[in-house]
Amino acid sequence: MYLSETHVQVRDMARQFANEVVRPLAEELDREERFPAEVYDQMGALGLFGIGVPEEMGGPGFDTVTYALVMEELSRGYASVADQCGLVELLSTLLVTYGSDAQRAEWLPGLLSGKLKGAYCLTEAEAGTDVSGIRTSAVRDGEGWVLNGGKIWIHNAPVADVGFVLARTDPEAGHRGMSIFIVDFHRDGVSRGPKEHKMGQRASQVGALNFDDVRLPAETLLGVEGRGFHMMMSALDKGRVGIAALAVGIAQAGLEAAVDYAQQRKQFKKPISEFQGVQWLLADIAKDVEAARLLVHNAAWKIDSGADATRYCSMAKCFAGDMAVARTADAVQVFGGSGYIRGFEVERLYRDAKICQIYEGTNQIQRMIIARELLSKGAAA
Ligand SMILES: Cc1cc2nc3c(=O)[nH]c(=O)nc-3n(C[C@H](O)[C@H](O)[C@H](O)COP(=O)(O)OP(=O)(O)OC[C@H]3O[C@@H](n4cnc5c(N)ncnc54)[C@H](O)[C@@H]3O)c2cc1C
């Protein structure tokens, strides 16, 4: 076993929390599209937010493997809940890596306790995959800045207190002309669009943000002016490991549900688990979940060991996202017609899986990254 005692302890704690608190609520949260603030308070108290934040900054200081283990377990309970954990990890990684002491003191305690909700704000109507197309701008105004523009499909937008917003600060400088601002959403000029109604992960609140002459003090700039694109992208390797682990968690839940159902459901006077056609479906789900899990752990371990992890993070995200969609479809198949009916877990899991191929860089983009890495650095493992 390559996991340490600490890895197993934290995983088991997250597993217990997912079994006792998260999974029993998932169907209701999906049906009502409800934001489970009470669950996030409990996660904050258990230390499940900001897993990689060093102890001296108020976090538990765990490695990326631990983060992946927690994400899988939470997602096995319900992917929206894991997604909240992933979002806090992304924002806290940016704060730890690039933030000033004052910025960390202002935002980390609230994000880690779950009291403050954050948002990671890149996407715009004309800038999805191609982030270089963003139009949101921040223009100097004395010591500070004035922010104008808008973002769409931002996770937590309807409920967030603070957003890390990528804006253009030099219109002539392409990728090098973007900066990140930590925007308190209670400032004048910030408004929110309506909540989007999504196919899956329906407890995750997603929506638009508008910035209309929002005045920002100089100290809201994160890190170095003009390095925003680079900073946002630098957090994505770890972000992709998180989404890959989340995808594994969805598929693992599908596997568990399918194995149980196959042993209970009888046709032709015997459990359907006795038919080879069903056994092969179960075996295919299990082997692909395990393969994806190992890719996730390998990518996480590469990050922790300081290796060049980019291709491995993209492989894990791409494989696990595609696997989760294909194998939750197989879990639906094991359930037959019941799998297509609302209220059966596998029906939700299939819907929850689809976004794993789209966000945190679509799987087409992951393939582009893998190919670019192979062609520029060689195919050697
Ligand atoms: C539920 C949800 C939550 C989200 N949360 C956030 C968030 O919190 N913060 C945030 O900033 N954004 C968020 N997003 C946005 C998400 O990151 C984008 O949807 C994603 O990056 C794809 O951009 P797009 O939708 O504009 O698709 P497009 O970029 O328009 O792509 C459309 C299709 O073209 C393909 N394509 C594009 N370019 C290429 C290329 N060069 N080669 C091959 N294929 C290509 C894509 O893979 C895709 O299949 C969220 C989206 C959703 C749906």
Side-chain angles (χ1 to χ4, degrees):
M1 176 60 137
Y2 56 89
L3 297 178
S4 71
E5 232 173 84
T6 310
H7 287 141
V8 173
Q9 271 171 11
V10 179
R11 183 199 63 192
D12 290 351
M13 183 265 284
R15 182 172 291 176
Q16 188 180 352
F17 180 72
N19 284 343
E20 291 174 4
V21 178
V22 183
R23 207 163 178 178
L25 268 181
E27 191 272 333
E28 174 204 316
L29 295 177
D30 172 67
R31 181 168 24 89
E32 297 181 358
E33 300 183 69
R34 181 169 77 74
F35 183 78
E38 76 284 6
V39 173
Y40 299 140
D41 287 345
Q42 291 180 62
M43 284 167 64
L46 284 171
L48 290 173
F49 287 133
I51 286 162
V53 174
E55 287 181 72
E56 63 274 19
M57 294 183 196
F62 289 133
D63 60 12
T64 314
V65 172
T66 313
Y67 170 56
L69 293 167
V70 169
M71 285 293 282
E72 179 186 334
E73 292 303 329
L74 292 176
S75 179
R76 204 176 52 81
Y78 183 26
S80 278
V81 168
D83 224 9
Q84 193 68 220
C85 175
L87 184 50
V88 176
E89 197 67 25
L90 206 52
L91 301 180
S92 57
T93 300
L94 286 172
L95 275 172
V96 166
T97 315
Y98 305 109
S100 65
D101 287 345
Q103 287 168 336
R104 290 186 198 125
E106 185 172 6
W107 299 111
L108 270 180
L111 289 171
L112 267 56
S113 67
K115 300 281 179 251
L116 291 180
K117 306 295 179 289
Y120 177 80
C121 312
L122 252 65
T123 303
E124 300 183 7
E126 303 301 328
T129 300
D130 183 9
V131 179
S132 68
I134 64 161
R135 293 182 184 167
T136 294
S137 68
V139 175
R140 273 202 183 278
D141 175 44
E143 292 287 292
W145 302 83
V146 178
L147 183 71
N148 275 290
K151 301 285 176 182
I152 60 166
W153 300 337
I154 302 301
H155 184 193
N156 267 1
V159 294
D161 302 284
V162 59
F164 287 43
V165 178
L166 188 68
R168 198 166 278 293
T169 40
D170 181 349
E172 310 300 325
H175 287 106
R176 293 178 184 279
M178 299 180 197
S179 306
I180 301 174
F181 294 89
I182 304 178
V183 181
D184 182 336
F185 284 173
H186 306 290
R187 282 185 188 281
D188 285 347
V190 179
S191 59
R192 304 161 205 254
K195 169 168 116 179
E196 301 288 356
H197 300 287
K198 310 191 304 308
M199 174 194 286
Q201 299 194 18
R202 283 154 54 89
S204 304
Q205 313 289 302
V206 168
L209 293 160
N210 295 307
F211 309 111
D212 189 10
D213 282 338
V214 182
R215 293 189 180 278
L216 299 173
E219 59 271 20
T220 59
L221 176 72
L222 180 73
V224 178
E225 181 185 341
R227 296 290 290 161
F229 180 82
H230 166 81
M231 290 191 273
M232 286 288 197
M233 295 300 139
S234 74
L236 284 185
D237 271 356
K238 189 172 180 187
R240 285 169 182 155
V241 169
I243 295 306
L246 178 150
V248 172
I250 295 173
Q252 174 67 31
L255 173 65
E256 291 169 13
V259 167
D260 278 356
Y261 186 80
Q263 292 173 95
Q264 286 163 26
R265 173 72 176 166
K266 289 196 171 119
Q267 288 292 282
F268 302 97
K269 299 193 172 59
K270 38 168 118 155
I272 59 170
S273 61
E274 292 185 21
F275 302 125
Q276 192 182 53
V278 173
Q279 289 175 1
W280 285 14
L281 279 171
L282 298 176
D284 279 343
I285 302 172
K287 77 174 168 46
D288 284 1
V289 169
E290 192 61 23
R293 179 179 291 122
L294 293 176
L295 274 183
V296 172
H297 292 181
N298 181 56
W301 173 77
K302 294 264 185 205
I303 292 179
D304 290 335
S305 58
D308 181 357
T310 298
R311 80 174 68 171
Y312 301 99
C313 297
S314 287
M315 285 178 191
K317 196 275 181 185
C318 188
F319 185 85
D322 289 349
M323 179 282 296
V325 174
R327 295 310 177 199
T328 54
D330 287 344
V332 169
Q333 196 67 22
V334 171
F335 274 68
S338 300
Y340 200 68
I341 302 293
R342 284 275 158 113
F344 283 86
E345 191 182 24
V346 291
E347 183 271 342
R348 172 180 57 76
L349 294 169
Y350 184 41
R351 288 185 286 108
D352 287 345
K354 180 60 198 172
I355 190 67
C356 298
Q357 295 176 307
I358 298 172
Y359 62 10
E360 214 82 10
T362 66
N363 279 4
Q364 283 77 23
I365 295 311
Q366 305 309 324
R367 288 179 170 87
M368 272 173 54
I369 294 170
I370 296 164
R372 190 183 63 207
E373 291 275 313
L374 287 172
L375 297 172
S376 64
K377 297 176 187 164

